[in-house]
Amino acid sequence: MRDILEEREQTGAFSWTLCMLPTNDLAQHARIPLDEYSQQIVKACFLNRRDPVAQWKSIFRKAAIIKKWLNGMDVKHYHIESEHIDLIVTPGEQRRWIGISGHNIPSFELFLSPDWRGTSGVYFADQPSYRSGNLVHQVRLTFKKGAAVSIDAESGGAFVQQQLSMDRGASRIGEFSLTDKRFSKIDRFMANTLFDENFGGQWGNCHIAMGSSYADTFDGDVQTLSGEKKTRLGFNTSALHWDLVNTEKKRVTAHLADGRHTTIYENGCFTY
């Protein structure tokens, strides 16, 4: 079903709309009062600004400049470092950074779907996550040769194990994402993935998604991205797509094909 939906979305035959309504249950899951939960939505969507649309257009323009900068690099791999993360992510061939397109509001993340085969090291999600009614907290994943070989969590560990074994691709990453704190005003856990994956706070966030990749991060005509070509380029396939978020202070370094390296993200901001 995911493959069918993705194919139809790529051809423009399918679209969707979701709307966020603050409720007592959501606020309770996020462990904040309902009025504070509602204000997070107002801030996140710039509804407290005189001209929210102008604010979104400004962020869209700034993001376009950053994406052009990122996509102009010939990157061999990215190295993500924080107190609890030491992870290598390999973008692979024919990839591009995308994001802040208007498909999701709010959305401040820039992301790509890497070549899953080049993932190695340790990733840690300090932000809680709700999935299918299950709360997990402090998930730690160790990757070797592209797959998570060690899975641990402070709470909900059995559920994490179950999810990451649902199919062959569930233990591999399908997305790597960074959010600039200068864009996002979200500074609380919201128990809602769209808001949590766009957390700004003090240090911004990075997140990985376990499972399926995004075909539109292919730097070419998506219509030509067959299943065989996806496999060859290292685009991951799975029924799962689960965002796991880290909000720690971190540095992301791009190691370039010519042997140089440059910091692209530090202290919650892109360095461009």
Side-chain angles (χ1 to χ4, degrees), residues 88-157:
I88 298 295
V89 171
T90 304
E93 299 177 23
Q94 293 185 268
R95 298 302 204 277
R96 61 173 180 160
W97 288 82
I98 64 173
I100 312 185
S101 62
H103 288 168
N104 286 339
I105 292 179
S107 182
F108 307 100
E109 60 168 326
L110 301 183
F111 61 93
L112 55 72
S113 284
D115 183 340
W116 67 267
R117 297 166 295 190
T119 310
S120 64
V122 177
Y123 182 76
F124 178 73
D126 65 314
Q127 188 186 78
S129 177
Y130 273 101
R131 183 173 180 84
S132 302
N134 295 270
L135 174 66
V136 302
H137 193 229
Q138 309 238 346
V139 177
R140 184 185 301 274
L141 305 174
T142 302
F143 292 88
K144 288 184 180 179
K145 297 182 179 180
V149 296
S150 175
I151 301 166
D152 189 30
E154 184 178 284
S155 62

Side-chain angles (χ1 to χ4, degrees), residues 1-15 223:
M1 183 171 287
R2 178 181 286 278
D3 291 343
I4 292 169
L5 293 177
E6 184 175 285
E7 181 182 345
R8 290 181 179 175
E9 190 168 7
Q10 289 169 13
T11 61
F14 167 75
S15 63
Q223 308 266 350

Side-chain angles (χ1 to χ4, degrees), residues 219-262:
D219 188 17
D221 183 357
V222 177
Q223 308 266 350
T224 68
L225 193 60
S226 63
E228 182 278 330
K229 193 170 186 178
K230 276 187 174 182
T231 300
R232 179 166 56 81
L233 292 173
F235 280 89
N236 193 30
T237 301
S238 173
L240 181 73
H241 185 90
W242 187 6
D243 298 295
L244 296 169
V245 181
N246 178 280
T247 67
E248 296 175 322
K249 182 180 180 181
K250 66 180 59 65
R251 175 186 295 117
V252 180
T253 306
H255 290 254
L256 307 179
D258 63 7
R260 295 179 299 129
H261 58 85
T262 183

Side-chain angles (χ1 to χ4, degrees), residues 12-246:
F14 167 75
S15 63
W16 44 267
T17 300
L18 297 173
C19 182
M20 180 68 166
L21 177 69
T23 67
N24 281 312
D25 278 357
L26 279 169
Q28 288 173 12
H29 280 84
R31 299 176 183 175
I32 58 177
L34 179 59
D35 59 346
E36 187 174 341
Y37 195 93
S38 301
Q39 283 306 307
Q40 284 285 321
I41 298 174
V42 169
K43 286 195 308 178
C45 299
F46 303 115
L47 302 179
N48 55 348
R49 303 293 182 93
R50 180 173 296 177
D51 190 345
V53 174
Q55 184 68 28
W56 280 112
K57 287 182 176 179
S58 173
I59 289 176
F60 181 86
R61 288 192 297 269
K62 293 173 183 176
I65 294 170
I66 294 173
K67 285 184 285 187
K68 183 177 180 180
W69 169 64
L70 291 171
N71 290 328
M73 300 180 190
D74 187 2
V75 178
K76 185 177 180 181
H77 68 263
Y78 298 103
H79 187 193
I80 303 97
E81 300 171 279
S82 73
E83 182 179 356
H84 296 100
I85 294 177
D86 186 1
L87 186 71
I88 298 295
V89 171
T90 304
E93 299 177 23
Q94 293 185 268
R95 298 302 204 277
R96 61 173 180 160
W97 288 82
I98 64 173
I100 312 185
S101 62
H103 288 168
N104 286 339
I105 292 179
S107 182
F108 307 100
E109 60 168 326
L110 301 183
F111 61 93
L112 55 72
S113 284
D115 183 340
W116 67 267
R117 297 166 295 190
T119 310
S120 64
V122 177
Y123 182 76
F124 178 73
D126 65 314
Q127 188 186 78
S129 177
Y130 273 101
R131 183 173 180 84
S132 302
N134 295 270
L135 174 66
V136 302
H137 193 229
Q138 309 238 346
V139 177
R140 184 185 301 274
L141 305 174
T142 302
F143 292 88
K144 288 184 180 179
K145 297 182 179 180
V149 296
S150 175
I151 301 166
D152 189 30
E154 184 178 284
S155 62
F159 177 74
V160 179
Q161 291 272 1
Q162 179 194 58
Q163 292 292 290
L164 300 195
S165 61
M166 70 164 56
D167 59 37
R168 189 175 181 183
S171 63
R172 307 165 179 170
I173 73 169
E175 177 191 3
F176 172 61
S177 171
L178 292 165
T179 295
D180 193 311
K181 69 178 183 180
R182 294 172 295 183
F183 296 162
S184 175
K185 303 305 177 186
I186 303 167
D187 57 11
R188 295 296 300 265
F189 172 63
M190 295 285 282
N192 178 281
T193 298
L194 178 59
F195 285 77
D196 295 332
E197 70 178 356
N198 288 287
F199 183 91
Q202 185 176 8
W203 303 118
N205 90 74
C206 80
H207 72 260
I208 62 172
M210 300 301 296
S212 66
S213 57
Y214 287 118
D216 48 359
T217 67
F218 171 63
D219 188 17
D221 183 357
V222 177
Q223 308 266 350
T224 68
L225 193 60
S226 63
E228 182 278 330
K229 193 170 186 178
K230 276 187 174 182
T231 300
R232 179 166 56 81
L233 292 173
F235 280 89
N236 193 30
T237 301
S238 173
L240 181 73
H241 185 90
W242 187 6
D243 298 295
L244 296 169
V245 181
N246 178 280

